[in-house]
Amino acid sequence: PKILEIINPSFRSVEFFRINAEGKVVFIEKDGIQYSVSNKYGNPNPTFNITESGDWLPYVILKISSNEPVRFNAVVSSEGNYYSSFNKRTIFINIYVGIMLALFFYNLFLYFSGLDVLYLSYSMYVLFIALAQLSISGHSYFYFLYQNPKLFELSIIGFTSMAGLLGLSFVKVFLHTRERLPLINKLLGLLMISYIVAFILRLFGEVRLSYTLTDINGLSVVLFVFSTAIILARSKIRSAYFFLGAWTF
């Protein structure tokens, strides 16, 4: 059999239909975060078997229910290729989690050793950027959100907003923007407020607006943060060189 994978882990429900040889639409199965035990593969993405036989026409119909933006890719692959790809992704996400946890605990240890708030700021940023990535990939739903659809949906913007706030806080402390670049420091502060607004909008159900604002924030962070570091690097500030090197790679 072939396997159909819908690349978006945030869909509440995906109902899978096929058309039989008589031209009738037949419901086959359903998957999504609304059905915590429906995915027998343990895959965050909705996944369905496609049986190849003369009883079915070569078409499928999907009925999608989602509180999040409906954006997805659909991948059809053989069973062997599917499991190979799924296993590789699982290994990658486990390695990623291990690396991020090591960075988190290492910087937390440095903070308690010297009580330098810079290390605490960076360790919390690392933690929430890892949580954000786990929610975007859908793994947080299985790992620690108790397969709760509402918590998972909120976590996508919530963890991303917290990562943005903590990342900008670290940038301001590490590069001393308040003393060196007061104007840019105020702009970074406005970006921090914008992340808070994005999460508040998500809490009140303004999903599309919160996602749009989060996307704008992400682009703005890249532009402002790297511009800040480049300006300071041109002024021969050593910390700016370290920052550019670390965040570029």
Side-chain angles (χ1 to χ4, degrees):
K2 299 288 186 180
I3 295 178
L4 170 65
E5 183 178 9
I6 308 301
I7 312 297
N8 188 321
S10 68
F11 290 156
R12 279 276 178 134
S13 171
V14 180
E15 297 180 38
F16 179 64
F17 299 83
R18 295 199 67 181
I19 303 174
N20 64 21
E22 298 174 357
K24 295 180 179 179
V25 176
V26 180
F27 170 76
I28 305 297
E29 57 181 324
K30 57 189 175 181
D31 196 3
I33 58 175
Q34 187 172 310
Y35 318 107
S36 58
V37 296
S38 64
N39 192 322
K40 57 184 174 291
Y41 300 102
N43 187 344
N45 296 315
T47 307
F48 306 99
N49 278 321
I50 300 179
T51 303
E52 296 179 291
S53 74
D55 297 331
W56 303 103
L57 297 180
Y59 308 107
V60 300
I61 298 173
L62 302 175
K63 181 181 178 181
I64 297 173
S65 174
S66 177
N67 292 334
E68 307 303 296
V70 179
R71 296 177 294 197
F72 67 95
N73 291 324
V75 178
V76 177
S77 55
S78 67
E79 198 169 20
N81 287 339
Y82 168 79
Y83 281 116
S84 176
S85 173
F86 179 58
N87 289 336
K88 288 177 183 177
R89 279 179 283 163
T90 302
I91 291 170
F92 173 82
I93 202 70
N94 288 330
I95 292 173
Y96 173 78
V97 169
I99 292 172
M100 297 303 275
L101 283 176
L103 280 172
F104 169 72
F105 285 115
Y106 175 69
N107 282 278
L108 202 61
F109 170 77
L110 291 177
Y111 167 70
F112 285 113
S113 298
L115 295 180
D116 187 340
V117 71
L118 186 66
Y119 292 113
L120 179 62
S121 177
Y122 186 70
S123 65
M124 297 308 295
Y125 164 72
V126 167
L127 175 63
F128 276 94
I129 198 69
L131 292 175
Q133 290 298 323
L134 287 175
S135 280
I136 291 170
S137 69
H139 289 85
S140 65
Y141 174 77
F142 291 101
Y143 284 2
F144 53 83
L145 292 179
Y146 307 102
Q147 298 187 30
N148 184 308
K150 187 65 176 176
L151 283 179
F152 173 65
E153 289 167 346
L154 291 175
S155 75
I156 298 172
I157 294 296
F159 287 149
T160 302
S161 296
M162 282 300 300
L165 282 169
L166 292 165
L168 289 169
S169 176
F170 170 76
V171 169
K172 293 173 72 173
V173 174
F174 186 74
L175 296 178
H176 300 281
T177 56
R178 177 177 294 180
E179 298 82 15
R180 293 168 175 166
L181 297 168
L183 178 59
I184 289 183
N185 184 72
K186 291 179 180 178
L187 292 174
L188 295 177
L190 289 175
L191 272 177
M192 295 174 74
I193 293 173
S194 185
Y195 271 114
I196 296 173
V197 171
F199 183 53
I200 292 173
L201 288 171
R202 181 61 188 83
L203 287 174
F204 283 92
E206 297 293 337
V207 178
R208 185 176 298 277
L209 188 55
S210 69
Y211 270 83
T212 300
L213 187 55
T214 300
D215 289 341
I216 293 172
N217 288 342
L219 178 60
S220 299
V221 164
V222 172
L223 293 175
F224 279 113
V225 168
F226 275 93
S227 296
T228 301
I230 291 170
I231 290 169
L232 293 176
R234 294 180 66 180
S235 299
K236 310 299 183 183
I237 304 295
R238 286 189 64 193
S239 59
Y241 290 116
F242 294 131
F243 180 89
L244 280 173
W247 282 57
T248 300
F249 298 102

